[in-house]
Amino acid sequence: MDIFINTVIGIFEEGLMYALLAMGMYITYSILDFPDLSVDGTFPLGAVLTGVLILHGVNPWLCLLISFAAGMVAGMITGFMNVKLGIIPLLCGIIMYTAMLSVNFVLIKAGTGGMAIASFFTKDTIFNSSLATLIPKSIGGFALRTTIISLILVIACKILLDLYLKTKSGLLLRATGNNERYTTMLGKNPGTIKIWGLMLGNGFSALAGSVIAQSKGSADQNMGVGMVVLGLASVIIGISLFKRVGFMKGTTMVILGSLIYKASYQIVLKLGVPTELNNAIKA
């Protein structure tokens, strides 16, 4: 029974963290209809940047904001390539992802003194310092602090995103994804709005990388492999399964999609599939 409960806790823990990535993909893929592959680069950007900053004594909560901002900058460049240079969305993502391989490599090398991995197991993170200590590390014999903090973060981000999507700017973002001509008729520049949407999406991607790196206590540039598949799977599963539930918001759908995806993945792993097939299983 304990094994089952710990497995469920693990599913919720990881599913909630990756739900932040799914919310970013929801903005770019579902709202903007922009197949953004650059998240494979911005996710590890948030992780690597967080690892380096924590090693240099930066507050782990501040690392979340810095990572989000760094992801937004990367998203802005992706949007600029598409809107201003006329490069097709898929190629924009591939170019950005390729460039981020070098950026992340330089960051981690410079920040760790030449190491390929930023390890900060003994440093303060959002899960073991400050306000986190107010939450018991173990409840009923089960380690729930990380899951609870992840849940609080996801709920906070979901509420903020839902509120934003109700604003004039958020409605214009939706309108641009549905019909750019309509946005132009309103006297707004759809290109600028598209860039802003990509900034938000990649900001969430980097934020997810920051949170997951802090939960693991380490970061490296290979953490981004397969993030596009994971994020899109969460979005597609969530929207496909719950689109007929009228009262459910899109952000809620993708969060549930992330949990379902992680649960499915864990079930397959429990069947004894070799670890070298992990990425094939994800796909």
Side-chain angles (χ1 to χ4, degrees):
M1 187 62 180
D2 286 354
I3 296 176
F4 173 76
I5 294 176
N6 282 320
T7 300
V8 172
I9 292 173
I11 290 171
F12 271 89
E13 185 178 301
E14 287 199 18
L16 288 169
M17 291 181 193
Y18 284 106
L20 295 170
L21 171 67
M23 282 192 278
M25 296 293 287
Y26 170 69
I27 295 171
T28 56
Y29 175 79
S30 185
I31 294 179
L32 277 182
D33 193 24
F34 190 104
D36 184 19
L37 302 183
S38 60
V39 296
D40 268 8
T42 52
F43 180 90
L45 170 65
V48 167
L49 192 57
T50 294
V52 169
L53 290 174
I54 288 179
L55 284 174
H56 286 79
V58 178
N59 185 288
W61 291 96
L62 181 59
C63 289
L64 297 181
L65 296 177
I66 295 174
S67 296
F68 188 86
M72 291 185 75
V73 172
M76 179 179 66
I77 297 172
T78 302
F80 180 85
M81 287 191 289
N82 174 248
V83 174
K84 301 299 182 181
L85 302 182
I87 302 174
I88 62 173
L90 280 174
L91 189 53
C92 288
I94 292 172
I95 292 172
M96 195 62 205
Y97 165 64
T98 304
M100 291 310 300
L101 290 174
S102 293
V103 172
N104 294 335
F105 185 73
V106 170
L107 278 175
I108 200 166
K109 284 286 186 180
T112 62
M115 302 293 289
I117 299 177
S119 298
F120 48 96
F121 296 101
T122 60
K123 301 290 186 178
D124 287 345
T125 68
I126 60 172
F127 299 107
N128 62 17
S129 64
S130 188
L131 296 175
T133 56
L134 298 176
I135 302 172
K137 192 171 184 180
S138 178
I139 300 175
F142 299 101
L144 289 172
R145 178 190 286 175
T146 301
T147 305
I148 293 172
I149 293 173
S150 299
L151 178 62
I152 293 171
L153 277 173
V154 169
I155 290 175
C157 288
K158 171 194 157 39
I159 291 173
L160 289 173
L161 182 55
D162 284 342
L163 289 174
Y164 167 72
L165 291 175
K166 290 181 179 179
T167 64
K168 182 178 179 181
S169 175
L171 292 172
L172 282 172
L173 184 66
R174 291 183 177 186
T176 300
N178 288 327
N179 190 337
E180 289 190 19
R181 290 184 179 180
Y182 178 72
T183 307
T184 304
M185 289 172 58
L186 294 175
K188 303 296 181 181
N189 186 342
T192 302
I193 298 170
K194 185 182 292 185
I195 292 174
W196 172 244
L198 288 167
M199 289 173 67
L200 279 179
N202 282 279
F204 274 104
S205 173
L207 176 64
S210 177
V211 172
I212 290 171
Q214 294 194 50
S215 73
K216 295 180 180 297
S218 65
D220 65 84
Q221 66 169 355
N222 294 321
M223 291 177 65
V225 176
M227 288 302 107
V228 168
V229 171
L230 193 155
L232 283 179
S234 300
V235 172
I236 293 170
I237 290 171
I239 292 177
S240 298
L241 291 180
F242 302 107
K243 63 182 177 181
R244 297 184 183 278
V245 184
F247 63 86
M248 190 176 291
K249 297 183 181 295
T251 49
T252 305
M253 294 179 191
V254 299
I255 291 171
L256 292 177
S258 177
L259 293 172
I260 293 170
Y261 179 87
K262 274 297 171 182
S264 303
Y265 181 62
Q266 285 298 321
I267 290 171
V268 175
L269 289 182
K270 291 297 181 182
L271 297 177
V273 177
T275 55
E276 57 265 27
L277 297 178
N278 278 357
N279 284 327
I281 294 170
K282 289 177 182 178

